[in-house]
Amino acid sequence: MRRLATLALLALGPVLLLGVFFVLPVAAMVKEGFFVDGELDVAGVLEVLTRPRVLRVAWFTVWSSTVATLVAVLLGLPAAYALHRLALPGRRIVRAALLVPFVLPTVVVGVAFRQLLGESGPLGRLGLDGTPVAIIAGLVFFNVAVVVRAVGAAWESLDRRPGEAAAALGASPWQVLRTVTLPALRPAIVSAASVVFLFCATAFGVVLTLGGVRYATVETEIYLLTTTLFDLRAAAALSLVQLVVVVVLLVVAARLRATPDPATARSTPRPQRPGRRDVPVLLGTATLLALVALPIVTLVSGSLHVDGAWSLDNYRRLTTTGEDQALLVPVTDALVTSLRIAVDATWMALLMGLAVSLLVTRRSRTRVERRVRGSLDLLFMLPLGVSAVTIGFGFLIALDEPPLDLRDSPLLVPIAQALVALPLVVRTIAPVLAGIDDRQRQAAASLGAPPWRALLTVDLPVVWKPLLAASGFAFAVSLGEFGATAFLARDEEPTLPVVIFRLLGHPGEHNYGMALAASVVLAVATATVMLVVERLRVPSLGAF
């Protein structure tokens, strides 16, 4: 009971913060749609969920996310093996390059694929612009890194001896893969697939940019219902359905992470030199790298073309407000605002994530304590999949009265972005803290060290690199956050993703060129951060 009381006391602060800045806004959004004149209107909610358009949106979300997940897994598995199992020159650089799309702002990904698949793009002849294929391609591009990192981390530490024994008994490489390797990797693969499906189903910027109103998912439909049609009941009903699906997927992923896995049972073996049988895997990895690079190269090329000639004019115009005063402030001012907000969001997410990681990774002595810690872990993962639009609009509804009137506070946007980055910080730090032998802390305590001294001498030397990596990850994610920021950013202080979306919505060749140039600037900023983070060599980074 004393340990449970101590755990509850330590969890009180993080839980209160999550309750105020996550549960309260989401509950306020749901209340707006579910209650009419103070009474629960269940019939109205059911009417919303049976509307033909809502059913079409739900079905499109399910099948497009399923197809994107399957394609991401099929493309990611060969790269996971090649980049984590084989001794390839420059493999860390390639791993960092494949992680960059995941932290690219979703608006940038949408702009890159519009440039690639548009009428004047390299693949314009295929006629895929504005089709479900374009949306699925954007989702795969954005999420394949999750498969590479999550499955690769498991594959990297997989014991080779069972496969070698099967080969010695006459099994072919395919039989070894099917009967030994894949069963051992099944928890990692299913966990990665569930997270990818979650990210695809809740994607916002990619779908909004590539699909518009015609091809909407639940996430973009919530945005359209809230901002265009002002149908809060329908938006709340969809938010609740989305929340239920998110909880189910997070529970599945958490159970699979807790499953004893042969892949993590032994020390990490040394990478092996590639052989002749690895040629198909290397070709698959090279193909994936080319597919990832193609939209980015097209984006950069388009930003450097003005009137059919190479030019830097699009970049020079970033100091202006665009053609026909498309913006209230120059793009450069929006970049400064984005950097400032990302710094604030990073330290908030880091402090909160470290506290949560310490809570959920301490050794549990009873089943009740283990369940409490597991429930806390699941609770703080919820912002990972809840609609950023729901959070943003909920902020406006719930935080509008004293003592929580934060509508004019400069911390409103950083808090929302910190909530988006929080689960990623926890998933980067928590595995490292969980891997520390608790006997080291007990030894420090037996020598008279207080808890804070044990934390500094035992935990900090192990966790300082993951802390830096989590900081960079949170900074990159916050820099490109678009869903909640689109609601909360002031017109006179927009962030760079918001400015890019506004430029795309204004006619004019110069405005489109500025959107391309601004997208490149944002992509370079996030890619630079991730390349620096990758040099820290933190295995848990991106291994959800």
Side-chain angles (χ1 to χ4, degrees), residues 34 120 159 162 213 220 250 262 289 386 480 484 526:
F34 278 65
S120 59
D159 190 3
V213 179
T220 58
L250 287 177
L289 190 61
V386 174
T526 53

Side-chain angles (χ1 to χ4, degrees), residues 268-351:
T268 302
R270 293 176 62 86
Q272 62 185 15
R273 297 182 62 181
R276 191 173 293 178
R277 65 179 184 179
D278 296 318
V279 171
V281 172
L282 296 176
L283 290 177
T285 304
T287 301
L288 175 61
L289 190 61
L291 292 175
V292 168
L294 184 58
I296 298 177
V297 171
T298 305
L299 175 65
V300 174
S301 175
S303 70
L304 294 172
H305 269 84
V306 179
D307 297 329
W310 295 99
S311 174
L312 293 175
D313 286 350
N314 287 330
Y315 291 89
R316 295 189 183 99
R317 295 190 183 103
L318 295 183
T319 59
T320 70
T321 56
E323 190 175 355
D324 297 329
Q325 298 294 311
L327 305 172
L328 296 179
V329 297
V331 177
T332 49
D333 289 0
L335 175 61
V336 173
T337 301
S338 292
L339 293 172
R340 173 176 53 79
I341 291 175
V343 169
D344 289 336
T346 298
W347 68 258
M348 293 178 187
L350 194 63
L351 289 179

Side-chain angles (χ1 to χ4, degrees), residues 27 64 131 149 155 215 254 261 304 309 314 331 350 401 409 468:
S64 62
T131 66
R149 298 299 291 238
W155 215 329
Y215 295 107
D261 190 352
L304 294 172
N314 287 330
V331 177
L350 194 63
E401 295 180 358
S409 172
L468 291 178

Side-chain angles (χ1 to χ4, degrees), residues 82-97:
L83 298 177
H84 292 82
R85 196 73 169 183
L86 301 179
L88 299 175
R91 66 175 185 151
R92 292 192 179 277
I93 297 177
V94 177
R95 279 158 59 169

